[in-house]
Amino acid sequence: MLILWLPVGVFLSFIISQTWSIQMSWDNWDSKLLNRENKFDKPSSQPHIVFILVDDQGFRDVGYHGSEIKTPTLDRLAAQGVKLENYYVQPLCSPSRSQLMTGRYQIHTGLQHSIIRATQPNCLPLENVTLPQKLKKAGYSTHMVGKWHLGFYKRGCLPTQRGFDTFFGSLLGSGDYYSHYKCEGPGMCGYDLYEGEEAAWEQDRGLYSTMMFTQKAISILANHNPRGQPLFLYLAFQAVHSPLQVPAHYLERYKGIPNLHRRKYASMVSCLDDAIHNLTLALKRYGYYNNTVIVYSSDNGGQPLAGGCNWPLRGSKATYWEGGIRAVGFVHSPLLVNKGTKCRSLVHITDWFPTLVTLGKGTLDEDLNLDGYDVWEAISEGRPSPRQDILHNIDPIYIKAKNGSWKAGYGLWNTAIRAALRVGHWKLLTGIPGYSDWVPPQTFSKQRLTNRWHNELVHWGWGKSIWLFNITADPYERVDLSQRYPHIVKEMLIRLAQYNRTAVPVRYPAKDLSSNPQYNGGVWGPWYKERQEKDERYNDLLTNHFGKSRWKIK
């Protein structure tokens, strides 16, 4: 394994040789690094924050949720920390990332519909203050490694313009794990690896991205003084999003799995687990660990078509069933009061913004209009969560439910609109929530997913456009209670309408052909600002030539 992970510099060679070699036992690791921890880790009032966001990891796809995939590092970190067992994210990449960065629901940033696509002149609205901006203002050194996926059509949208001191990673939602190229269609292909605001041609050694991003994160830790300034490291792995690619030796661990997609996916998760192991080793080695809060989260549910598994939850990535939005998550830190526990309080990805800013001694201004809550005491001490509800989303563009109507919504809501809301134990869905099946682990099956596993699949032609579940009693969403409790449905529809009155217009612009990498040296990158400046200069020339007064005569 070591040979595949050798970096370029001698200094980093030493780092990686110490961290990506044959894994030592946890007991040996703790004892060998104890002296270094005592020497360097002197907790200050501001903890170091490491936020690890993984891509498309299914709810079941971690050892402590009963998976056949081996994740000893994640299992140990979660067991020694606090497992978040009532934790929710969004069903897709950009929505989860936008809510993490702003602490605000999609309806309040205009990103209610789908994802931010590479060809769209769109990004996380610049008027929104971001998590790294608030932490930077509080004195943190802020660094991002990995997948951005919050837009890049103009330079002001890039991570280093949104609060990060440094950025190394990809701007798009997916791409080749080795070549770092991505195609958005015929003739729309380009390179997608950045160092700061420029293509990282010189830094690219064709490494598998999970390994490459981990090495970069470790180098950041090695070159920062943990006693001099608090550090915020946002490590957003590309894994385990498709395409299903992984170093060959990881496949050997799962050669007993006949389903090729599942075998590759499981191997990718194991590689990710090794990455977290080596990152945690580095936190101890370089004196961060005793004053660090590690947050681990998936950005959405798994995709069964790409090997993921959310069993026994219903649905998958891109749906508002529990399988699309209930995520693997935990907090690991020596600073936790109650370690080795489970947090069953309601927690949402918007909560990290106020929680981490407050933990970092930052300020939360009223004009931020946050939808998130500070849930640190709920996580660390087991106190009740201040969060009682979650607006999963309202997407006014997605109105495909054929039989949805105002009548079906008791005159309170048009049930053709795709929406989902959680209040206490209750969850309401309207419109078409997405693929609704329960898909068991495909580990020992060669069957295609199209061969149905159960007979509970919803047939949209039947006219169904509203559902109600008691998630506490029925976390697998098997018993629809909408007919039994119409008064609960009405109360939640009223709440949904109240939320909708606070929504801003949807930002989902049409494809811009100027985004094509062939116009940008073969690289995916900002295109709109440069073109806009040329248009403005052209308009200035016209104005100067014809005279301003002429344009006023109408």
Side-chain angles (χ1 to χ4, degrees):
M1 185 184 300
L2 174 58
I3 295 175
L4 293 176
W5 285 75
L6 284 175
V8 178
V10 174
F11 181 65
L12 278 183
S13 295
F14 169 76
I15 296 171
I16 303 304
S17 68
Q18 297 297 311
T19 60
W20 215 288
S21 56
I22 297 174
Q23 295 203 7
M24 63 179 76
S25 70
W26 282 85
D27 292 336
N28 289 339
W29 173 29
D30 290 340
S31 62
K32 289 184 179 181
L33 292 173
L34 184 60
N35 292 334
R36 295 188 182 190
E37 293 167 23
N38 291 338
K39 180 179 179 181
F40 292 112
D41 287 5
K42 298 179 180 179
S44 64
S45 60
Q46 292 175 286
H48 304 295
I49 300 169
V50 177
F51 197 104
I52 302 167
L53 188 67
V54 297
D55 206 332
D56 287 9
Q57 183 176 12
F59 181 79
R60 185 182 177 84
D61 297 328
V62 65
Y64 66 84
H65 279 172
S67 178
E68 77 285 2
I69 301 174
K70 307 303 180 185
T71 57
T73 301
L74 298 181
D75 296 347
R76 175 60 71 94
L77 291 175
Q80 294 179 344
V82 176
K83 299 174 183 176
L84 306 179
E85 296 297 1
N86 203 5
Y87 174 53
Y88 289 85
V89 293
Q90 298 307 110
L92 288 168
C93 304
S94 297
S96 284
R97 292 159 207 275
S98 72
Q99 298 197 38
L100 168 64
M101 286 291 111
T102 66
R104 307 185 73 200
Y105 290 143
Q106 292 164 256
I107 65 165
H108 296 144
T109 60
L111 301 176
Q112 299 97 309
H113 183 67
S114 191
I115 60 174
I116 296 176
R117 303 190 182 278
T119 57
Q120 288 178 310
N122 195 17
C123 74
L124 181 68
L126 301 183
E127 62 269 21
N128 286 271
V129 177
T130 66
L131 174 59
Q133 286 173 334
K134 294 298 292 183
L135 290 175
K136 189 173 182 178
K137 190 174 181 180
Y140 275 75
S141 176
T142 58
H143 304 271
M144 179 181 173
V145 177
K147 172 179 168 178
W148 176 237
H149 205 188
L150 286 174
F152 58 88
Y153 77 104
K154 57 184 178 181
R155 203 160 285 274
C157 300
L158 297 178
T160 47
Q161 298 287 330
R162 305 308 303 271
F164 288 105
D165 293 326
T166 67
F167 167 64
F168 180 79
S170 59
L171 298 176
L172 278 67
S174 64
D176 190 280
Y177 279 72
Y178 293 94
S179 70
H180 317 300
Y181 272 82
K182 169 67 175 179
C183 291
E184 287 289 323
M188 291 284 285
C189 300
Y191 183 70
D192 181 30
L193 184 64
Y194 270 72
E195 176 81 55
E197 299 180 10
E198 304 296 333
W201 299 107
E202 296 182 359
Q203 291 78 23
D204 189 358
R205 299 293 181 269
L207 279 177
Y208 184 67
S209 74
T210 302
M211 300 174 174
M212 177 179 65
F213 291 154
T214 306
Q215 289 184 14
K216 184 64 176 181
I218 291 174
S219 72
I220 289 171
L221 296 176
N223 288 286
H224 180 80
N225 180 3
R227 292 169 291 174
Q229 184 183 20
L231 178 136
F232 172 53
L233 174 61
Y234 173 41
L235 178 53
F237 284 103
Q238 177 184 357
V240 287
H241 196 291
S242 60
L244 298 178
Q245 296 173 293
V246 68
H249 64 279
Y250 279 98
L251 289 168
E252 292 297 314
R253 302 185 186 184
Y254 298 101
K255 56 187 178 182
I257 299 179
N259 184 305
L260 183 58
H261 284 348
R262 183 64 175 172
R263 188 191 316 161
K264 288 182 177 179
Y265 177 92
S267 302
M268 293 169 75
V269 174
S270 284
C271 183
L272 178 68
D273 189 78
D274 284 351
I276 306 303
H277 173 79
N278 292 313
L279 179 72
T280 314
L281 278 172
L283 287 169
K284 292 201 169 190
R285 174 169 293 108
Y286 298 115
Y288 295 87
Y289 179 77
N290 280 349
N291 191 34
T292 294
V293 172
I294 301 172
V295 181
Y296 182 93
S297 170
S298 181
D299 67 339
N300 47 246
Q303 174 55 271
L305 288 170
C309 183
N310 305 303
W311 180 266
L313 302 181
R314 184 177 191 173
S316 64
K317 172 185 177 177
T319 78
Y320 287 94
W321 304 107
E322 292 291 285
I325 56 178
R326 192 167 176 180
V328 174
F330 64 81
V331 177
H332 178 93
S333 175
L335 304 178
L336 290 165
V337 175
N338 296 333
K339 303 179 185 67
T341 61
K342 294 180 180 180
C343 174
R344 301 192 185 279
S345 295
L346 205 57
V347 178
H348 185 247
I349 195 166
T350 53
D351 297 333
W352 296 121
F353 186 109
T355 300
L356 297 179
V357 170
T358 302
L359 201 60
K361 309 300 180 183
T363 58
L364 295 172
D365 307 317
E366 291 184 7
D367 59 0
L368 290 173
N369 296 315
L370 298 178
D371 294 306
Y373 295 85
D374 179 358
V375 292
W376 180 250
E377 291 184 349
I379 294 172
S380 179
E381 302 175 32
R383 297 188 183 186
S385 172
R387 176 174 287 283
Q388 299 301 316
D389 67 356
I390 297 173
L391 176 65
H392 293 303
N393 196 25
I394 299 171
D395 186 346
I397 292 180
Y398 199 97
I399 50 174
K400 297 183 179 180
K402 296 178 180 179
N403 295 286
S405 66
W406 284 94
K407 182 179 179 180
Y410 300 98
L412 300 168
W413 183 257
N414 181 359
T415 61
I417 298 173
R418 190 185 204 190
L421 174 68
R422 171 79 177 268
V423 179
H425 301 303
W426 298 102
K427 178 182 177 183
L428 181 81
L429 302 102
T430 68
I432 299 180
Y435 179 80
S436 62
D437 221 349
W438 294 264
V439 183
Q442 305 169 58
T443 306
F444 305 109
S445 172
K446 292 183 180 180
Q447 285 184 293
R448 295 178 60 84
L449 190 59
T450 51
N451 294 333
R452 299 219 39 267
W453 293 97
H454 295 275
N455 58 11
E456 294 95 339
L457 182 65
V458 172
H459 295 278
W460 305 116
W462 293 353
K464 190 75 177 163
S465 64
I466 192 165
W467 294 261
L468 178 71
F469 299 98
N470 183 322
I471 294 299
T472 304
D474 177 26
Y476 312 139
E477 299 172 296
R478 291 186 176 270
V479 182
D480 175 23
L481 301 172
S482 60
Q483 296 297 317
R484 191 182 305 179
Y485 299 107
H487 65 289
I488 299 294
V489 171
K490 292 176 184 177
E491 289 177 8
M492 295 191 70
L493 289 175
I494 291 173
R495 179 76 69 92
L496 205 56
Q498 290 173 340
Y499 268 120
N500 197 44
R501 285 195 286 271
T502 69
V504 301
V506 177
R507 299 167 59 102
Y508 197 74
K511 178 178 180 178
D512 186 345
L513 295 178
S514 300
S515 62
N516 196 321
Q518 70 177 337
Y519 304 135
N520 192 37
V523 178
W524 288 104
W527 75 89
Y528 190 83
K529 181 177 180 181
E530 288 77 5
R531 190 190 69 183
Q532 186 181 51
E533 288 174 348
K534 290 179 181 179
D535 290 344
E536 290 174 354
R537 285 197 296 269
Y538 178 71
N539 290 333
D540 288 342
L541 287 173
L542 287 178
T543 301
N544 292 332
H545 179 72
F546 291 107
K548 295 181 180 180
S549 60
R550 180 173 178 176
W551 298 103
K552 296 178 182 178
I553 300 174
K554 289 284 183 182

